[in-house]
């Protein structure tokens, strides 16, 4: 038995043609349309990412290079410190475009025809967004707990220092030698 590409795509319901195909020529046309749609979405998002980086204050060379690695979520950078070398606006641009890059490009293509409803109707996108939100909340909670625990330990250490401060003068006074507690000989 043969499984045609059109049946697979029709079953998945992906692509700009919506899975409507019949005949060999039609199947090739549908596959080429889908490939063209995915490439055009990828190029559009990459150019938009580069422009957003540039507007946020990144140099043009860095903006293009980071856009080319942000969209495929490679994470490479032109700087040794990676994204830490840039300000928070640029880091937020990276977060937004990496989220968009993680979404199905055929779903982005559907956005043009159906609007934002295409995202909400897609179970794939809902699960993806749910995992991203859940992961963000878990990491935020872990950071909050770590900061709170560090602050509590620091406060306890400050209290311990105050409570254990010596009430008497130190042993090493000018009248005494540095390593013994007997008074030094006084010259007459």
């Amino acid at each position: 038995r043969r499984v045609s590409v059109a049946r697979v795509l029709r079953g998945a319901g992906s692509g700009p043609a919506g899975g409507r195909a019949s005949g060999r020529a039609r199947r090739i046309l549908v596959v080429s349309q889908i490939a063209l749609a995915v490439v055009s979405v990828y190029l559009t998002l990459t150019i938009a990412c580069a422009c957003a980086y540039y507007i946020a204050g990144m140099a043009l060379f860095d903006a293009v290079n980071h856009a080319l690695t942000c969209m495929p979520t490679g994470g490479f950078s032109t700087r040794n410190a990676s994204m830490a070398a840039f300000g928070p606006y640029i880091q937020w641009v990276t977060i937004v475009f990496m989220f968009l890059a993680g979404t199905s490009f055929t779903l982005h293509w559907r956005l043009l025809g159906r609007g934002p409803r295409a995202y909400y109707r897609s179970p794939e996108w809902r699960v993806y967004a749910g995992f991203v939100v859940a992961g963000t909340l878990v990491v935020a909670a872990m950071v909050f707990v770590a900061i709170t625990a560090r602050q509590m330990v620091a406060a306890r250490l400050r209290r311990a220092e105050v409570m254990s401060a010596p009430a008497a003068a130190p042993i090493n006074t000018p009248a005494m030698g540095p390593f013994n507690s007997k008074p030094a000989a006084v010259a007459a």
Side-chain angles (χ1 to χ4, degrees), residues 1-112:
R1 294 185 169 215
R2 292 168 113 191
V3 177
S4 69
V5 175
R7 273 197 194 147
V8 171
L9 293 177
R10 184 173 34 233
S14 61
R20 296 180 308 270
S22 62
R24 183 180 174 120
R26 187 88 165 144
R27 280 184 236 137
I28 292 172
L29 180 63
V30 169
V31 171
S32 64
Q33 285 176 341
I34 292 170
L36 181 64
V38 168
V39 168
S40 65
V41 167
Y42 177 79
L43 287 175
T44 302
L45 286 174
T46 303
I47 291 168
C49 183
C51 291
Y53 277 143
Y54 186 73
I55 291 169
M58 194 180 273
L60 183 61
F61 176 78
D62 290 332
V64 170
N65 281 292
H66 282 88
L68 290 171
T69 62
C70 176
M71 289 311 299
T73 63
F76 301 109
S77 179
T78 57
R79 306 283 177 96
N80 287 339
S82 189
M83 293 311 290
F86 302 103
Y89 296 118
I90 292 173
Q91 293 172 2
W92 278 107
V93 168
T94 303
I95 291 169
V96 167
F97 278 97
M98 286 188 85
F99 179 80
L100 291 173
T103 305
S104 169
F105 284 3
T106 56
L107 191 59
H108 289 311
W109 181 261
R110 287 185 193 167
L111 173 72
L112 296 175

Side-chain angles (χ1 to χ4, degrees), residues 102-176:
T103 305
S104 169
F105 284 3
T106 56
L107 191 59
H108 289 311
W109 181 261
R110 287 185 193 167
L111 173 72
L112 296 175
R114 299 181 188 168
R117 292 177 298 163
Y119 290 120
Y120 303 122
R121 289 184 179 173
S122 169
E124 175 189 357
W125 188 85
R126 288 194 308 256
V127 169
Y128 170 66
F131 275 123
V132 169
V133 169
T136 301
L137 292 176
V138 166
V139 169
M142 290 171 61
V143 168
F144 176 76
V145 167
I147 289 173
T148 305
R150 185 177 295 156
Q151 289 173 345
M152 288 173 48
V153 168
R156 288 181 182 169
L157 287 175
R158 281 194 296 275
R159 275 187 256 135
E161 287 176 359
V162 170
M163 296 173 91
S164 66
I171 296 176
N172 192 9
T173 61
M176 305 171 118

